[in-house]
Amino acid sequence: AQDEIIYGVVLVGPRNDRGWSQSHFEAGQYVEANNENATMLFFESLNEADTPEATLMDVVTEMVDSGAEVIFTTSASFEQDTNGVAEAFPEVVFINITGSNVLHGDAPFNVGNFNTLMEVPRLLAGCSAALASETGKIGYLGALIDPETRRLAASSYLGARHCWNTYRADMGMDLEFTVTWIGFWFHIPGFTLDPTEVANEFFDNGADVVISGIDTTEAIQVAGRRASEGSRTFAIPYGNAGGCDEAPEACLGVAYYNWGPAYLDVVNSAQDGSWEQSWDWLALDWMDINNPDTSTAGYLRGTGMPEEIAANLDEFQGALADYMSAQDMGVESIYLWEGPLNLQDGTELAAEGEAVPLLDIWFSPQLLEGMIGASE
Amino acid sequence: MNVEFLNTLASVVANATPLVIASIGETITERAGVINLSLNGSLIVTAMAGFIAARVISFGVDVDAIDMIASAEAGLIGGVVVAMLVGALVALIIALSSIELRLDQVTVGFILTLLMADLAQFLGQEYTRIPGPVVPKWPVPLLQDLPLLGPVFFQQNVLVYLSYVLVIGLWFWLFRTRPGMAHRAIGERPEAAYARGTNVNRLRYVYVVLGGALVGVAGGAYSLHFKPGLSNPPAMQGDGWIALAIVIFGGWHPFRVVVGAWLFAALRAVSSDIQKNGLAVLGQTIEFNFVLLNGLPWLMLIVTLLLVSSGAIERLLLLLPGPVQRRMRSVLRSDPPRAIGTTFEVD
Amino acid sequence: MLLPVLLSLLLAALLVLAVGREPQEVLEKIWQGAFRNTRSFAGVLNFWIPLTLASVGLFVTFRAGLWNIGIEGQILAGAIFASAGALTFDFPPELAPLQLLLQILLGVLGGMVWAGITGALKIWLGVNEIFGGMALNALAGVWGIYLISGPWYPEGGSAQQSRPFLENALYPPLSRDWPVGLLAIVMTAVAMVLVPLIMARTRWGLQLKATGSNPRSALLLGVPTTRVAMSAFLVCGALAGIAGSYRVMFTYGSFRPLVAGGIGFLGLLVVLLSTMKPLWIPLITFVFSAILAGSTRLRVSLQLDSSLAGVLQGTLVLVFILFQGLRQRLEARRGDQAGDVSQASASSQSGLTG
Amino acid sequence: MDIELRNIHKRFGTVHANNDISVVFPAGRITGILGENGAGKSTLMKILSGYQPADTGDILVDGNASRFSSPEDAIQEGIGMLQQDPLDVGAFTTLENFVYGRPERVLPDWQAARKDLEEASAHLGFDLEAETPVERMSIALRQQLEIVRLLALGVKALILDEPTTGISAEQKQTLFAALQQLAHRDGVIILLVSHKLEDVITLCDKVVVLRDGRRIGEEDMPAPGETDPVTLEKIKSQLVHLMFGQELGPHVRLEVPLDKVVLQLENLNLRDRRLQIENLNLSLRQGEVVGLAGLDNSGQGLTMRAICGLESVSSGRVLLEGEDMTNRSYRSFLHRGVVFGAAGRLEEGLIAGLTLTEHMALVRSGRAVLDWPALESYTSESLKHYDVRGEAEDRIEQLSGGNQQRVLMALLPANPQLLILEQPTRGLDVESARWIWQQLLERREGGTAILFSSAELDELVAYSDRILVFHAGRVHEVSDVASTTIDELGYLIGGEFKQV
Ligand SMILES: Nc1ncnc2c1ncn2[C@@H]1O[C@H](COP(=O)(O)OP(=O)(O)OP(=O)(O)O)[C@@H](O)[C@H]1O
Ligand SMILES: Nc1ncnc2c1ncn2[C@@H]1O[C@H](COP(=O)(O)OP(=O)(O)OP(=O)(O)O)[C@@H](O)[C@H]1O
Ligand SMILES: [Mg+2]
Ligand SMILES: [Mg+2]
């Protein structure tokens, strides 16, 4: 018999964007489903363009007014404002995803950050791309350039390179991994490149798999359309478990977030007053990476994935899990963020055999050597 | 010529298609002496209407449904028809307010631009980011095998072919047929048209609505193929303005209009290609900041309008030999229809 | 005058019912959201300030017969320039007012530069201001995104905004319970009173009107038409620049690429609605701001899409304009002035070629 | 066929434009319609040709009553009108204009049409070139095209509203010859609306005179070829009397001593889309009046505008009292008292939507802050002085054309250095034209130099000290106007410089 709790979720995009914002909205719903005393408030599309009249402060004020005790501000673009708001409402718990203020130590006591090891699903995404590709050309649809987007692109590349060299040696050619940045997290017509057209170009220029690194689903749309027209094209959407739905037959898989469990922890701990500030890089469930109750990110294989590659993907996933879970599952263990690794300009990131420290990954200064595309 | 390049050209032609259809529609409207400034909004709202119609027909009202209740063709046809009707409706508002109420066409058009965009987002929210029927590719028998031309122009879908037909058709209509003369006349000198027994305002209704309907087709073309589905912000945001500019750049002549549209599409392709490979000038490649590159099409828009306003295009006429001049005159003439934006009244 | 307002309110009500909500419940929420307490009221003012500044500026350009659609870009340019100041200067506290002034002036400059380019394109190069403006809006946006992803990229953060401005780079708030920039309110009030006065009483105002109505005649009557048209652009740009500076130097406290947020377009609607009667402008902008700011509460509690407000405003203006036309036609019918075939009356500065 | 009008009435608000007009137009006759401005000529003709319905009254064609609801109806009945500014489409070629409006199939038979066009124009001694775009053709040619077109549609009655304005003597001869041929050989009814007594007298068989909307008289004209000046003068004064109910004393030139040089053009070169003018030299003294003759678009307009900074000068110099003003802005000319008056009133010169006071404020107030009451009374004053029928707070477009012209005069500064006027009396009747010239000549006595263009040869001869004749950019100076006849001038306009 615990007392009621109201929590707010502030989304930067529409709740049905099939990507980033939707995954947070669903996390909110997950809490409601697993804690009968919890009720969600939410506010979608809080950005200067869609809602010029409202700031985070306005929205939070309204939410607190309606009784919210925990508020999730679900975009790095809320990172700064969250601090200010948190000072104004010290009695409320704020979680900013995916900020790092807490890490830097310049966040008020009632602010927490968390992020998840999306890098791992990305490795899997990259691997399946390499396994499925017949042309050896993979396109990566990048958002804007910052450390987060760089490390996600780099992870995809590492996965792809590994599986290409390990399982596709017979192709007898080098993998071509190209990154095109559109300029923002989603398509702002006229201000950014049009992801639809960028994806089309990848395919026009011989790529047969496009990995999406943006909040929205243009890549899978285009792949699906081309597939329906008879060409062999795949995409790997990003962010939301439902990412494949727009074109299942062309979907190799989706690297998605599953914030629900983390949200639930926060709400519960706030409810019983046990919440404490922290900066968490949330773990995945290595035994069952797609477990909705235990794994905070996952890689869901798409119906479009050719089954012949499944075996290789399993093997790679197993080896990865073996390393990450730090317990022996009787398979060789692989960790791809491991030397020898060079940055795009050739400077060494990690020497032979040594692993790249998490924080160096977090603050990736450049793309990696071997990737085609701008680093800034 | 390598296949990648042909693919890129084909994509340019494809990506330009909605622009072509929309600008042809606007050309029809403006040739009749009326400006439909609402293009940007019309495209967005018709894309919305077209997609929802197609989706509902093929999948039913349930937005989570994944299996079809009717054929994709049925949905597509229904979608395009609905898009046309909505486009025609918006245009009708402009025609009425201009012809009956003598309101400033630019004012009404602008209000509609904003209103339609918001309306589209409001009514379309449930249907954003869900799959719907997509206009399939349909290579033209025989023609598709032509060297070079085939892969670029004839391995596309019906919408693209429609754009070809529209361009050539409108040219023939305007410059070769008698009703086409009346069409031009009501935009150039309505009094003269009236004196020759043409019912100026009735024809203006017809052409404004027709033009609007084509804008609708363009909107549908976006959501049913070129930028499939609905998204927020709408993926064709801004293209309406470019289409309007293309009409001017095109000197209200279908041939120049289509060139303009292809030019813009090509430019977009180029600006993301430069991001990957840099710009090769005289051997050495210049790197560009990839964000700033996104400004290129807009610079281009200004430049093209400069070309027109400075009379540069028309000066080409003077360089040509006499007989060719006569042929090219209608193409290179950049004057807007004389009576554009004005109302016409008898007594 | 009243009829169209009522009609569009009716339409609005129907729309709300159509999405399964209670109109008067919606109205209540909006009212609470706007006027619940001083802070919510401040929220209204924070939107009213830039909207009014932009609208008053647009009143000037409309007077000169110009469709300054480029105002969005001008607001953004103002924001960019002001932010440049905010990110470079760091004056000691006693000189804080000076820094504030400098930044505002930079904002003004930015707006004027962007408006100036549109004006130059229009006046000397014959590029219609609607298209020049549209292009420059986008260019300003691209530039903004470039700045946050490059020069103004906040170290370690995410490339979606500049680093937050320091205290002394912001408009000082009136008080804790009144989070609104007093200085900005004063500037807005001055603008909304002074500009109409100047329009009505000075030769410049008259010359603007003349140029707007018929530039060729105006020139022959000794009006320096190019100078006048350009001045209209610059005045509007200046006001837009202040609006932009307020967005970044108070509302957000850092630079973001989309700060203009359609305020300029909304301003165009406001002026159309005011039918060029400047005294209405601050009232209309106030109502609009209240509805928008108030609807935040609406959305938290009732989950209505943000576009609803836009739909309502659009319908309001459209219906109003249509009614206007209808009234004029009916009056014309009554005072039956038969026209003449050989004179088709021009209803708009025809053509979009320049 | 023949046409009869019975008790035609037409009101525009309070104006009774046509008041119980009855008249017969018999076949094969050329009838002139005369009357002062606003007499109701155009209205009557528009009623007859279906552009406007009459309030009451009948139109009888060959005895049976017909009602026209559109020009098309009228043409069906065989009545067609040639407007003063021919109703053709500039962007079309001659042939397209000819074809458009014919009962053609969706795909016109261009070859046949071209044949018809060429035959018809040959038949009337016109030379129309099928492929030339109309916007490149002179008024005269466009008139010819319109006539050919109407006849091809089977018109048996042809109405011409002021057709002889702005065409050369030669073109006028061609036109008149064609009209006579049509009337006397083909039996077509010709109706000629004009302000030019000479034309009416030489061409018409009879003349109908309107005043204040009433038909107040009819005169038979002497047989063509009548040359005796005495009889001609007699008829003229009769007509004038009918038109204005009074005689107009003959205009006497008074010589004013020419003073120092005001304006000097040194081998000026001008160019626009159409034509270019080379090595134009001119020096204009205080109080001198120089007329610019020529068909429209022959260069007068370009020259006048270039002289005061409204068009750019490609080379050469414009000197104002010795100071080089080449390519300076119009306003800097204005500051030195050089004022340009354009032909179109509401297009160029006056501002629809502004009140008379606001107009006055624009030109008179040098102060930054306006003193409305003062301006108001000042305006009322000068409105009285120029007896403008209108109030200070009226908007300019509420005034009639004649009154708008007066307002323009009122706007001129008291004693400008140089007035450059484009067709200052266009469309005005003899009396109003006289009034305008009184105003101008008064200023001239104050030392103002005047440079004006006109399509009316008699006006040019009557008021100019010197005349510059423009033809396709070439300029020919006529220095002693006194001994130049209107016909000679007419030929010069046509480009036959040798004949003089
Ligand atoms: N159409 C006109 N006809 C006669 N006089 C005119 C006309 N237009 C202007 N003027 C006179 O010519 C002079 C120049 O006009 P204007 O008032 O614009 O110059 P200004 O007072 O010096 O203005 P500014 O200070 O902008 O230069 C004024 O004295 C004005 O009265
Ligand atoms: N469409 C109209 N609306 C109102 N009044 C009109 C209209 N047309 C003509 N009038 C008025 O009717 C009267 C006769 O005009 P009309 O044009 O027939 O005179 P007119 O003899 O042709 O004069 P002009 O010699 O200047 O051509 C004038 O007072 C004119 O102002
Ligand atoms: Mg002045
Ligand atoms: Mg007349």
Side-chain angles (χ1 to χ4, degrees), chain A residues 67-139:
Chain A
E69 297 169 53
V70 180
I71 291 177
F72 299 89
T73 62
T74 67
S75 164
S77 63
F78 299 142
E79 190 172 7
Q80 301 164 5
D81 298 1
T82 305
N83 289 357
V85 180
E87 275 153 10
F89 298 99
E91 70 285 1
V92 179
V93 170
F94 291 90
I95 304 293
N96 174 248
I97 306 144
T98 56
S100 50
N101 280 329
V102 178
L103 177 66
H104 298 305
D106 52 19
F109 71 93
N110 56 332
V111 173
N113 294 136
F114 54 65
N115 194 356
T116 173
L117 271 178
M118 177 45 74
E119 288 62 29
V120 176
R122 285 311 197 137
L123 293 172
L124 295 170
C127 175
S128 29
L131 291 174
S133 175
E134 290 301 332
T135 63
K137 293 184 177 174
I138 296 173

Side-chain angles (χ1 to χ4, degrees), chain C residues 203 207 222-224 227, chain D residues 331 335 362 365:
Chain C
R203 189 167 55 133
Q207 289 181 331
V223 176
R227 205 198 305 168
Chain D
R331 295 191 67 256
H335 284 291
L362 276 175
S365 119

Side-chain angles (χ1 to χ4, degrees), chain B residues 272-321:
Chain B
S272 60
D273 182 69
I274 296 180
Q275 179 190 146
K276 284 201 292 291
N277 314 329
L279 182 62
V281 181
L282 323 161
Q284 76 266 42
T285 59
I286 311 163
E287 293 295 332
F288 279 91
N289 174 285
F290 77 99
V291 176
L292 289 181
L293 274 173
N294 297 333
L296 220 55
W298 297 103
L299 279 179
M300 184 67 182
L301 186 145
I302 294 179
V303 172
T304 47
L305 291 181
L306 273 175
L307 281 180
V308 175
S309 65
S310 65
I313 297 176
E314 252 162 318
R315 281 205 209 90
L316 291 175
L317 261 182
L318 309 177
L319 309 177
L320 299 168

Side-chain angles (χ1 to χ4, degrees), chain C residues 69-354:
Chain C
I69 279 184
I71 182 133
E72 279 290 295
Q74 289 149 25
I75 296 174
L76 189 46
I80 291 176
F81 276 53
S83 305
L87 291 168
T88 25
F89 308 146
D90 183 6
F91 291 15
E94 63 274 19
L95 290 184
L98 182 58
Q99 173 174 351
L100 191 68
L101 194 67
L102 272 177
Q103 289 176 213
I104 297 175
L105 287 179
L106 273 172
V108 169
L109 180 65
M112 288 173 92
V113 168
W114 234 242
I117 301 174
T118 323
L121 282 169
K122 159 83 173 183
I123 293 164
W124 290 297
L125 299 172
V127 174
N128 179 283
E129 72 271 21
I130 291 183
F131 296 105
M134 264 299 152
L136 280 151
N137 290 348
L139 287 172
V142 170
W143 188 24
I145 292 183
Y146 162 72
L147 287 170
I148 51 150
S149 64
W152 293 352
Y153 170 66
E155 264 328 304
S158 153
Q160 304 192 44
Q161 51 197 239
S162 73
R163 68 170 159 76
F165 301 160
L166 302 172
E167 198 62 31
N168 57 357
L170 303 175
Y171 284 91
L174 185 49
S175 80
R176 205 185 168 293
D177 297 332
W178 283 96
V180 53
L182 178 59
L183 179 55
I185 292 190
V186 173
M187 286 193 290
T188 313
V190 171
M192 77 191 204
V193 173
L194 211 55
V195 169
L197 216 59
I198 292 175
M199 288 291 152
R201 296 287 172 76
T202 67
R203 189 167 55 133
W204 180 69
L206 182 59
Q207 289 181 331
L208 264 182
K209 192 174 169 190
T211 311
S213 317
N214 180 343
R216 289 161 73 213
S217 295
L219 178 66
L220 291 186
L221 290 172
V223 176
T225 45
T226 50
R227 205 198 305 168
V228 166
M230 197 56 170
S231 63
F233 269 115
L234 293 178
V235 169
C236 184
L239 292 170
I242 302 180
S245 74
Y246 190 71
R247 294 288 283 172
V248 287
M249 288 163 54
F250 189 88
T251 309
Y252 292 113
S254 68
F255 175 74
R256 310 174 181 205
L258 303 175
V259 277
I263 290 178
F265 291 149
L266 192 52
L268 283 157
L269 291 187
V270 169
V271 181
L272 292 178
L273 203 50
S274 76
T275 61
M276 298 308 282
K277 295 189 186 57
L279 296 183
W280 282 98
I281 289 177
L283 293 173
I284 300 171
T285 51
F286 186 78
V287 176
F288 277 20
S289 310
I291 293 176
L292 278 167
S295 61
T296 305
R297 188 185 195 77
L298 190 63
R299 293 178 55 198
V300 169
S301 47
L302 294 186
Q303 306 312 339
L304 280 178
D305 190 85
S306 62
S307 50
L308 179 59
V311 175
L312 297 188
Q313 285 150 350
T315 336
L316 173 73
V317 180
L318 184 63
V319 171
F320 180 80
I321 296 284
L322 291 181
F323 257 82
Q324 276 254 322
L326 198 58
R327 231 195 26 250
Q328 282 160 4
R329 289 318 299 158
L330 295 178
E331 280 162 7
R333 288 270 159 64
R334 259 184 251 103
D336 162 71
Q337 292 127 358
D340 187 317
V341 177
S342 49
Q343 51 188 237
S345 62
S347 76
S348 84
Q349 61 287 60
S350 59
L352 295 175
T353 34

Side-chain angles (χ1 to χ4, degrees), chain D residues 36-43 46 81 84 161-162 193 195 427:
Chain D
E36 60 185 319
N37 288 117
K41 307 182 292 291
S42 300
T43 305
K46 284 176 183 172
M81 176 162 174
Q84 183 171 2
D161 195 349
E162 303 186 27
V193 177
H195 288 302

Side-chain angles (χ1 to χ4, degrees), chain A residues 5 11 14 34 70 79-81 89 105 142-143 160 169 174 186 220 231 237 280 287 307 369:
Chain A
I5 184 165
L11 305 172
N34 293 277
V70 180
E79 190 172 7
Q80 301 164 5
D81 298 1
F89 298 99
D174 290 346
F186 50 89
I220 185 68
S231 45
D280 306 326
M287 300 308 130
E307 57 284 338
E369 197 171 53

